[in-house]
Amino acid sequence: MPEEEYIADGEATFAVEARLVRELGERLVKEPEIALLELIKNSYDADATVCDLKAFGAEELIVSDDGRGMTLDEFMGAWMRIGTSSKEKQSESTAYGRPVSGEKGIGRFAVRYLGRHLELTSVAHDPVRGFATRLVAMFDWPKFDKYEDLGKVKVPYRVYRAASTERPGLTLKMTRLRKSATTLDLRRIRTASIELVSPYASLIKTAEREEARKFKQHRSPDPGFTLRVQGDRQEVEDADVAAVVLRSAVLRVAIKLRDDRLSVKLWRRDDADEKPHITIVDRFENSVGSVDADIRFYPRRKGTFTELPMDGRRAESWVRENSGVAVFDGRFRVFPYGRQGDDWLGLSADKARSERDPESPLAKKHFPMSDEVRKDTSQNYMLRLPYPFQLVGAVRVRSTRSRANSDDETGLIPAADREGFIHNKTFQDLKDVIRGGVELIAYADRELQQALEEGERTERLEQLHQETRQIIEEVEANAGLRREDKNRIIRRIEAIDRSAADEAEYTRRREQALEVMSLLGVVAGFMTHEFGVAIDHLQKSHQVLEKLGRRQPELREDAERIKASIVSLEEFVTYSEGYIRGAATKSDRPYPVAPRITQMIRVFGRYAEDRGIVVESTVDSNTLAPRVPVSLYNGLVLNLFTNSLKAVTARTGKGDRRIAFRAWNSGDLHYLEVSDTGVGIPSAMRKRVFDPLFTTTDSNRDPLGSGMGLGLTLVKRGVEAFGGKVDVIDAPPGFATCFQVRLPLDRTHK
């Protein structure tokens, strides 16, 4: 082969296009609040005591501080050098020994993200010149995009001798703002620093004291850092609300991790002393470093915000606005952790799938569950895992400073876009520690709820016993009841009172009764079909019997009885078919009420007539029912009517035996009332008559006495399903009992 021709050799270097600044500014920083937070961090690192943020609508945004500022050499060597490692080399601030928060030179990209033009003014003592200087530099960012080589971009600046009245500091004046920078969430910026007036200012105190002791060897004690946000008038009010609400947390967990020693403590609000209710001290293989966390729990249930020296609705609103477990890297918040919609601890996800097994090593070790407890919904504490919106908490950590050739598998390493940490083993360790604290809250909440439920159960039983005694007294005093009926009612009431003492059995029987309710619809459908077939056979038999009766007069009476029975059965089947077909179908338009009541009176007319009961209806023919299913309205009339028939039948002695129907429309409501002259209902029994287990007819041989106690329960559920109510009200003159149903006229079935 011929020898290859040598042309040239050398060493290549990268060329950086000027538009890199634009690309990094738009891709490294996602939101204006995060961009501003980077600038505030730079002020903190510069030993500023005050940082002022002023927003002037869509025109201007100014961030200024009283830090040490920059000399010309620092400006050229740090600010103007992309990817500078100056902060990597210096982990503490010069004057106060503050742990450096900023990193990777992101500040200038944040400025580029917020506005198209920047005026930088820096006042600093220049040790080379021996006096203070004022540096003014002008950045026109869009012009950068016109150059192919970033090194050829010229940024004009001027340096002046500072006046004796000028104080050191840095001012960044951004104009020609980007659209996203004109809609800043000032409250979110203010709560991004643990030093500020926010819910987090009082949550983590241990780390603050430790840092103060650690850095007190510096010549100048740290005077603190304050962010002043122009126009943020909510600050003072939030401080007052925070102080009250944080003290009123139902449960509180404090976590402290130092070296390999993990301490987790839990307090309950109602405990008499201030000692922790639960204390766990354990060893933890720690790759995170120091961790401090304080998490408060506010369940959405009765009593959480009562007895506060403020409006409970304001307290609930404050918790909602500040909810979540926030993470702070030193003194500054790490987004998106703890923001609305964030689920970095996996709480919402586990709640959605009803996760029954703990995730954290802490809970697995200290609060294990047997298989029996795990399956029991009332015992499994993981089913009480809080949602993020029920927690207000802060976690304080210290991120790992990035270094050349560093191992990304260890350390809390901020992502390049400043949105959270890299999800490595260290981050998982942090999650395990904090998740363990939240699972401890779930464990303690289950314990707390069991105690509350036991107290409520005792209170309910005592109230039930009092009602039972009152009912018995009223039954005994009722002169309209026969002794055998009094004894029967009293025995039944006492039996219900005794069964309620075994709440588990009472609940089981109650659910069983409700299951019977749902099965009755299936049974009714089958029976209606069978009755229809039976009527066909009866009609054919009646025709044969009529023919035979012409020749044998003794059969004519039987033929008439069968004919009357067929008519009654046809009425029943017609009603039942309408009930079954229309149970889930709303009426297309309002329908008259009077025919519904007339039909029920006709169906049970023979029963009432045989017992001397007069049934009357004063419903106007023009009164229309609401747009509920016709079958539902029929069912309401049926159950209330049969209930009244039984009550009147049970009454002894002389007097009217009457049942009266009334119905009318007034305003937005339709009213239906059924009154009777029956035995009456003791006042203490008025609410309990709608319970599915409450009945006094179990031993009644009357054909209407099912003894199941479901009739009034069906009425109540049916009415409430359409936004209505049913109550026992004071009866009109001459009557003993009155049931009133109220249904909205404009409500439609969904």
Side-chain angles (χ1 to χ4, degrees):
M1 293 181 61
E3 184 177 347
E4 292 180 334
E5 182 181 358
Y6 171 79
I7 297 176
D9 62 8
E11 294 179 335
T13 59
F14 283 104
V16 180
E17 292 195 14
R19 65 188 181 92
L20 174 67
V21 176
R22 182 192 67 189
E23 293 293 322
L24 290 176
E26 293 179 358
R27 298 179 189 276
L28 278 182
V29 184
K30 295 180 180 179
E31 300 179 20
E33 291 83 6
I34 293 176
L36 273 175
L37 182 57
E38 289 301 317
L39 301 181
I40 296 166
K41 286 181 181 179
N42 287 344
S43 294
Y44 177 81
D45 293 343
D47 286 320
T49 60
V50 175
C51 178
D52 286 302
L53 170 61
K54 299 178 181 179
F56 299 92
E59 303 298 325
E60 196 172 83
L61 185 63
I62 299 176
V63 178
S64 60
D65 65 51
D66 62 351
R68 66 176 182 272
M70 289 186 292
T71 64
L72 177 60
D73 289 342
E74 290 171 331
F75 172 72
M76 298 298 292
W79 181 273
M80 293 301 296
R81 182 178 294 276
I82 303 295
T84 178
S85 60
S86 60
K87 290 189 178 182
E88 186 177 300
K89 297 175 181 177
Q90 183 179 350
S91 61
E92 298 177 5
S93 66
T94 304
Y96 305 134
R98 294 173 177 173
V100 172
S101 300
E103 188 177 13
K104 299 181 186 295
I106 289 179
R108 67 194 65 100
F109 301 133
V111 171
R112 172 68 177 86
Y113 176 85
L114 292 167
R116 297 175 178 84
H117 188 274
L118 167 68
E119 178 182 309
L120 180 152
T121 302
S122 176
V123 177
H125 176 75
D126 190 331
V128 176
R129 292 180 172 85
F131 53 82
T133 60
R134 181 175 72 256
L135 166 69
V136 180
M138 311 295 286
F139 293 78
D140 191 348
W141 299 111
K143 286 185 178 180
F144 280 43
D145 302 340
K146 298 178 181 179
Y147 293 88
E148 292 186 0
D149 188 346
L150 182 59
K152 294 181 180 180
V153 177
K154 306 297 182 183
V155 176
Y157 68 85
R158 286 189 177 185
V159 179
Y160 304 88
R161 184 174 187 136
S164 59
T165 56
E166 292 183 270
R167 301 292 300 273
L170 178 69
T171 299
L172 302 174
K173 180 180 178 182
M174 290 156 277
T175 54
R176 297 170 58 195
L177 302 180
R178 292 165 61 100
K179 184 177 180 180
S180 59
T182 63
T183 56
L184 289 167
D185 185 344
L186 297 180
R187 183 188 168 281
R188 191 174 149 203
I189 296 169
R190 177 167 54 81
T191 58
S193 170
I194 206 168
E195 298 269 355
L196 308 181
V197 179
S198 74
Y200 313 111
S202 61
L203 287 183
I204 301 178
K205 300 176 181 178
T206 304
E208 293 290 325
R209 292 192 294 267
E210 288 186 0
E211 283 194 357
R213 289 194 297 268
K214 180 178 178 181
F215 296 122
K216 69 181 181 180
Q217 71 268 23
H218 289 273
R219 288 176 296 176
S220 302
D222 191 341
F225 177 75
T226 301
L227 173 64
R228 298 187 299 208
V229 182
Q230 183 190 50
D232 191 11
R233 299 177 181 176
Q234 191 71 19
E235 183 173 334
V236 175
E237 180 186 351
D238 269 2
D240 295 337
V241 175
V244 173
V245 179
L246 289 173
R247 287 196 301 268
S248 68
V250 173
L251 295 169
R252 174 199 170 203
V253 161
I255 301 171
K256 182 178 179 180
L257 178 61
R258 296 291 185 273
D259 299 323
D260 63 349
R261 187 177 186 274
L262 174 64
S263 169
V264 183
K265 298 179 180 180
L266 179 137
W267 290 265
R268 299 193 306 193
R269 177 175 63 185
D270 297 330
D271 287 342
D273 53 36
E274 296 183 359
K275 293 181 179 179
H277 179 69
I278 298 175
T279 298
I280 299 172
V281 177
D282 205 347
R283 296 181 67 84
F284 184 81
E285 188 176 338
N286 183 10
S287 67
V288 185
S290 296
V291 176
D292 291 274
D294 192 321
I295 304 171
R296 315 289 173 103
F297 175 54
Y298 303 88
R300 284 193 170 181
R301 59 175 176 251
K302 182 181 178 182
T304 298
F305 298 108
T306 56
E307 299 182 5
L308 294 182
M310 61 182 299
D311 189 341
R313 291 171 297 180
R314 177 68 185 98
E316 186 176 3
S317 174
W318 184 92
V319 169
R320 186 170 58 252
E321 292 167 1
N322 295 282
S323 62
V325 179
V327 178
F328 285 81
D329 182 0
R331 287 171 168 79
F332 294 96
R333 188 163 179 179
V334 181
F335 292 110
Y337 306 130
R339 283 176 58 183
Q340 189 173 13
D342 171 70
D343 191 30
W344 75 281
L345 293 172
L347 304 177
S348 295
D350 282 354
K351 288 287 288 186
R353 59 174 176 260
S354 298
E355 179 58 54
R356 291 172 179 255
D357 295 312
E359 179 180 300
S360 70
L362 183 83
K364 290 177 181 178
K365 178 178 179 180
H366 294 276
F367 306 108
M369 286 184 281
S370 65
D371 191 55
E372 182 181 358
V373 170
R374 180 186 175 279
K375 293 177 181 178
D376 189 340
T377 57
S378 66
Q379 296 292 322
N380 190 316
Y381 63 85
M382 280 297 295
L383 298 178
R384 295 190 180 277
L385 193 69
Y387 284 104
F389 62 75
Q390 296 176 307
L391 302 172
V392 175
V395 179
R396 190 173 186 187
V397 295
R398 174 61 62 189
S399 65
T400 303
R401 312 304 301 165
S402 62
R403 292 182 176 84
N405 303 318
S406 64
D407 181 4
D408 285 353
E409 293 303 313
T410 59
L412 289 175
I413 303 173
D417 61 2
R418 315 307 280 172
E419 287 273 347
F421 297 114
I422 294 174
H423 287 199
N424 56 16
K425 180 183 181 301
T426 302
F427 179 76
Q428 183 60 48
D429 286 346
L430 173 64
K431 181 180 174 181
D432 284 344
V433 169
I434 306 306
R435 173 74 182 228
V438 178
E439 289 178 353
L440 174 58
I441 287 176
Y443 175 86
D445 188 45
R446 183 209 60 177
E447 185 183 73
L448 185 63
Q449 276 297 95
Q450 287 176 331
L452 291 174
E453 288 167 2
E454 180 60 28
E456 290 173 356
R457 176 179 175 275
T458 302
E459 185 177 339
R460 284 196 305 271
L461 284 176
E462 179 56 33
Q463 182 179 358
L464 184 63
H465 295 331
Q466 291 179 1
E467 289 177 356
T468 299
R469 289 191 292 269
Q470 184 178 345
I471 291 171
I472 292 174
E473 290 174 1
E474 291 189 36
V475 170
E476 287 286 7
N478 191 330
L481 285 175
R482 294 171 297 184
R483 170 45 60 185
E484 64 178 280
D485 288 328
K486 288 183 180 181
N487 293 339
R488 174 174 54 81
I489 293 174
I490 291 172
R491 284 197 303 271
R492 181 61 180 161
I493 295 298
E494 289 176 337
I496 293 174
D497 187 67
R498 288 192 300 272
S499 66
D502 184 354
E503 193 160 355
E505 175 63 16
Y506 186 80
T507 300
R508 186 191 66 78
R509 291 180 58 204
R510 194 174 187 275
E511 293 302 317
Q512 192 176 55
L514 295 176
E515 287 178 12
V516 170
M517 276 175 51
S518 63
L519 291 173
L520 283 177
V522 179
V523 174
F526 175 77
M527 290 178 63
T528 299
H529 174 266
E530 293 301 312
F531 272 130
V533 174
I535 288 173
D536 288 338
H537 292 308
L538 283 172
Q539 286 175 336
K540 292 177 182 178
S541 300
H542 175 254
Q543 292 172 359
V544 172
L545 198 59
E546 270 191 324
K547 291 179 182 179
L548 293 174
R550 296 189 188 112
R551 296 193 301 268
Q552 302 180 35
E554 66 272 17
L555 296 177
R556 292 176 186 173
E557 185 177 352
D558 291 332
E560 289 299 318
R561 288 177 179 174
I562 289 176
K563 183 178 180 179
S565 296
I566 290 173
V567 171
S568 296
L569 283 173
E570 284 178 334
E571 289 275 6
F572 170 77
V573 170
T574 300
Y575 159 72
S576 298
E577 286 179 341
Y579 190 91
I580 294 166
R581 286 197 305 268
T585 306
K586 69 181 180 183
S587 174
D588 293 333
R589 57 183 178 273
Y591 48 86
V593 170
R596 313 271 74 79
I597 296 175
T598 301
Q599 181 187 22
M600 291 301 103
I601 293 175
R602 188 167 59 245
V603 170
F604 292 96
R606 177 68 63 84
Y607 179 95
E609 184 180 338
D610 290 347
R611 289 158 180 77
I613 301 173
V614 177
V615 184
E616 58 190 42
S617 173
T618 58
V619 180
D620 191 281
S621 60
N622 296 322
T623 300
L624 299 178
R627 290 184 61 191
V628 299
V630 176
S631 59
L632 172 66
Y633 202 92
N634 287 347
L636 299 178
V637 175
L638 168 66
N639 280 294
L640 293 176
F641 185 24
T642 55
N643 189 70
S644 290
L645 286 170
K646 289 185 288 184
V648 175
T649 300
R651 180 171 182 173
T652 59
K654 297 181 180 180
D656 289 341
R657 298 169 69 81
R658 285 190 301 145
I659 297 174
F661 287 91
R662 294 180 64 218
W664 71 96
N665 295 328
S666 178
D668 295 331
L669 293 175
H670 171 78
Y671 292 83
L672 169 66
E673 286 185 357
V674 181
S675 305
D676 64 63
T677 59
V679 295
I681 298 177
S683 57
M685 195 190 294
R686 288 188 174 186
K687 290 183 180 180
R688 294 175 62 186
V689 294
F690 297 102
D691 189 276
L693 289 182
F694 195 89
T695 176
T696 58
T697 62
D698 57 333
S699 61
N700 189 349
R701 296 184 179 181
D702 189 281
L704 294 182
S706 69
M708 298 177 67
L710 296 178
L712 292 177
T713 303
L714 285 167
V715 170
K716 185 174 186 292
R717 291 205 166 190
V719 169
E720 291 179 349
F722 287 84
K725 289 186 177 182
V726 58
D727 293 296
V728 181
I729 65 172
D730 292 338
F735 291 90
T737 303
C738 180
F739 283 86
Q740 184 186 80
V741 172
R742 302 182 296 283
L743 285 164
L745 288 170
D746 58 348
R747 178 94 175 194
T748 57
H749 181 46
K750 296 182 179 179

